[in-house]
Amino acid sequence: MNMLHLSQTDYAVSRWSGGTTTQIAISPPDASYSARDFLWRISSAVVEDEQSVFTPLPDYDRQLMLLDGSLLLRHDGGAALRLDPYQVHAFDGGAATESQGRCRDFNLMLRKGRCRGRLRPLRLEGPVLLPPPQGGLLLLYCAAGRGALGEGTVLAQGESILLEDGEAPLGLSVSAPADFVAAEIWCDIP
């Protein structure tokens, strides 16, 4: 299994019209969000403005999970949808999306027709075995607290582990309640 430990110094932070975004991982590694040439991207944003507009990404499917705060979303002028922490919301990145509220969120962006994936919250109070990312990858992000993976790799709040092509379950243990986000991704090669 390939394992990469990522911390704040590995992330790229940028400003957008409503706050800041921290890019946690992107594929391929030399891809650029602004060029829209990526297969997938994982990021966390802080929404500072009470009202904001999401950047349209018509070639991507998106999944959004709040880590704290609350948000009302509207897609294409439709009815408002309220998101609270650790709820996952999947939507078309090309939809005209407006938000109301302040929060810190976690985003998964997947190239349509090339990648599929899912976000899952993991609210832990004890040890757990994570299934291997067979044929794909798993990014485990520590949203609150801390935990230890396998033989002692410690994940502090805001850090991630990127696992690829594993075949055996991976143990994750916590000494106090902790919150993690699991992003699982599979990409098809044309």
Side-chain angles (χ1 to χ4, degrees):
M1 176 181 314
N2 297 325
M3 183 165 67
L4 179 63
H5 188 175
L6 302 168
S7 66
Q8 298 291 336
T9 59
D10 299 305
Y11 303 156
V13 179
S14 59
R15 287 222 45 94
W16 58 285
S17 62
T20 59
T21 296
T22 300
Q23 179 175 286
I24 296 168
I26 194 167
S27 180
D30 61 346
S32 164
Y33 171 76
S34 60
R36 308 294 191 264
D37 62 353
F38 59 94
L39 286 174
W40 56 263
R41 181 179 189 243
I42 297 171
S43 62
S44 179
V46 175
V47 180
E48 298 167 346
D49 292 348
E50 183 61 32
Q51 296 194 355
S52 61
V53 176
F54 283 39
T55 301
L57 299 169
D59 294 329
Y60 294 89
D61 290 316
R62 295 186 68 172
Q63 294 181 33
L64 180 71
M65 176 190 299
L66 299 192
L67 301 177
D68 57 48
S70 66
L71 206 60
L72 287 177
L73 289 178
R74 276 186 210 284
H75 302 296
D76 295 326
L81 169 73
R82 180 185 173 95
L83 283 183
D84 291 314
Y86 297 97
Q87 288 179 292
V88 178
H89 175 60
F91 62 100
D92 185 329
T97 301
E98 300 173 350
S99 70
Q100 183 177 357
R102 292 182 176 95
C103 69
R104 180 173 56 111
D105 64 29
F106 195 86
N107 298 278
L108 175 59
M109 301 170 190
L110 302 160
R111 172 73 72 166
K112 289 179 180 176
R114 297 284 307 278
C115 299
R116 60 188 169 84
R118 69 176 178 162
L119 290 181
R120 291 186 297 134
L122 298 173
R123 306 193 89 180
L124 304 179
E125 294 187 19
V128 66
L129 282 177
L130 300 173
Q134 293 178 342
L137 64 89
L138 168 70
L139 183 128
L140 187 65
Y141 176 81
C142 184
R146 61 188 304 118
L149 249 70
E151 297 298 316
T153 300
V154 175
L155 272 182
Q157 183 170 329
E159 295 182 340
S160 305
I161 292 284
L162 184 60
L163 306 164
E164 292 185 76
D165 299 324
E167 294 182 10
L170 184 66
L172 173 64
S173 59
V174 297
S175 57
D179 296 331
F180 293 84
V181 178
E184 298 167 287
I185 302 169
W186 298 269
C187 289
D188 301 321
I189 299 172

